[in-house]
Amino acid sequence: MAKIKGDIVINTERCKGCEVCLAACPFTVIAMSKEVNSKGYHFAMKVNGECTGCTNCALVCPDGVITVYRAKVTTE
Amino acid sequence: MIMEDTFAKTEIHKPENIVYKKTDLMVDRPLSYCPGCGHGTAHRMLMEVIEEMNIQDKTIGVSPVGCSVLAYDFLNIDMLGAAHGRAPALATAIKRMWPNHFVFTYQGDGDLAAIGTAETIHACNRGENITIIFINNGIYGMTGGQMAPTTLPGMRSSTSPYGRDVATMGHPLKITELVAHLPGVYYVTRQAVHTPNHVRKTKKALRKAFELQKENKGLSFIEIVSNCNSGWKMTPVQSNKWMEDNMFPFYQLGDIKVDGKLVEKKEIAGKE
Ligand SMILES: Cc1ncc(C[n+]2csc(CCOP(=O)(O)OP(=O)(O)O)c2C)c(N)n1
Ligand code: SF4
Ligand code: SF4
């Protein structure tokens, strides 16, 4: 069966930890890291596989650090 | 991180599967804005529109004094920096010398509605064929959160620590509604950039403004109500909520003037 699957890649070094993307994701794909990046910010990270590639998080990220992928995948 | 394998299997990370990535018209360097500040999103939407219209080489922007003074470091197009509040005057000169170029100003509320009030109103009244992008965060962000003409009644700032008292400090200025009444102004709208849908609408409004500029229709004025979490002394997420609860009832979102005609009051009136 063909299914739409999404994924995000976050440039964690450029993330400022504002958490605006968290609220924008309808599937709670994003959470904040315990670690910090070199600027000292807790960064956003993907925590589950529910992403549909809706682009909501990337649209609201003020620093534009999220890249979104979407593809049709076939599952058994 | 357990998920990583499943994703790799789908081989989703291919260039042809990219559905969103920061436009190359944003210079690849960290923005100087505070975490969560709407300036970054507004910049990016503006650059996406310029990219989609393929007018990068024909667009000249004017940056203000305020946090976004550094916009020329981030927007990969020709830019000039204006003296505080003078961006519409400078944009007037640029547009008249280069009428086939797209010219916009990008200004905060301190810049546009305080020190630059005269330039704003007269450029609008002359109907200069430019686009004014007005970021209203109700405060002077760059200098430490002082009261602006746009500060809400009762709103605390570093120069109104007990809240803006309209009896002594005057009423907030809705400069956007004010300029909408001037005949030279063709399109006026008020948008936001804190949620995905608001971002999409802002982008549409920006696109419309640049298309109108191409048709020499007159001045387009796009207000973006935005947060200044640092100046408001809140987290970014709190500030966006506060903005919805407090800024939006006063600065109602939506079109104010379309095709040179004021939008019927009942359509933009809400809870005030
Ligand atoms: C002639 C002059 N007067 C005052 C200042 C100080 N000043 C710098 S930015 C600013 C206000 C900026 O506020 P706003 O336009 O709302 O932009 P924001 O920083 O909130 O984005 C002021 C008063 C200045 N730089 N030049
Ligand atoms: S919106 Fe962007 S900068 Fe803010 S936490 Fe998410 S990825 Fe980081
Ligand atoms: S001070 Fe306010 S307007 Fe300036 S970058 Fe920070 S949050 Fe944005």
Side-chain angles (χ1 to χ4, degrees), chain B residues 12-50:
Chain B
I12 202 166
H13 293 177
K14 289 181 193 156
E16 65 266 30
N17 291 338
I18 292 179
V19 285
Y20 194 89
K21 113 180 213 299
K22 186 171 76 173
T23 161
D24 293 336
L25 290 197
M26 289 296 293
V27 176
D28 189 25
R29 65 163 62 130
L31 298 173
S32 54
Y33 306 117
C34 302
C37 172
H39 272 309
T41 314
H43 281 16
R44 190 160 35 84
M45 286 311 116
L46 173 60
M47 286 301 106
E48 284 185 10
V49 165
I50 290 172

Side-chain angles (χ1 to χ4, degrees), chain A residues 7 46, chain B residues 3-13:
Chain A
D7 195 18
K46 184 178 71 190
Chain B
M3 308 313 301
E4 221 58 68
D5 286 339
T6 344
F7 290 127
K9 255 183 236 155
T10 66
E11 290 179 10
I12 202 166
H13 293 177

Side-chain angles (χ1 to χ4, degrees), chain A residues 5-9 11 14 16-20 23-24 39 41 45-51 53-73, chain B residues 1 3-4 7 10 12-22 27-41 44-45 48 193-197 199-200 236-237 240:
Chain A
K5 191 97 193 83
D7 195 18
I8 53 170
V9 173
N11 182 347
R14 286 279 176 88
K16 291 181 184 163
C18 71
E19 305 188 13
V20 172
K39 292 261 166 125
Y41 294 121
M45 55 180 210
K46 184 178 71 190
V47 292
N48 64 40
E50 305 295 309
C51 178
C54 73
T55 73
N56 276 2
C57 58
L59 277 177
V60 297
C61 173
D63 292 84
V65 307
I66 306 179
T67 301
V68 186
Y69 294 84
R70 193 194 298 142
K72 223 182 233 167
V73 293
Chain B
M1 297 300 113
M3 308 313 301
E4 221 58 68
F7 290 127
T10 66
I12 202 166
H13 293 177
K14 289 181 193 156
E16 65 266 30
N17 291 338
I18 292 179
V19 285
Y20 194 89
K21 113 180 213 299
K22 186 171 76 173
V27 176
D28 189 25
R29 65 163 62 130
L31 298 173
S32 54
Y33 306 117
C34 302
C37 172
H39 272 309
T41 314
R44 190 160 35 84
M45 286 311 116
E48 284 185 10
V193 288
H194 66 304
T195 73
N197 277 343
V199 172
R200 289 185 185 100
V237 173
N240 285 340

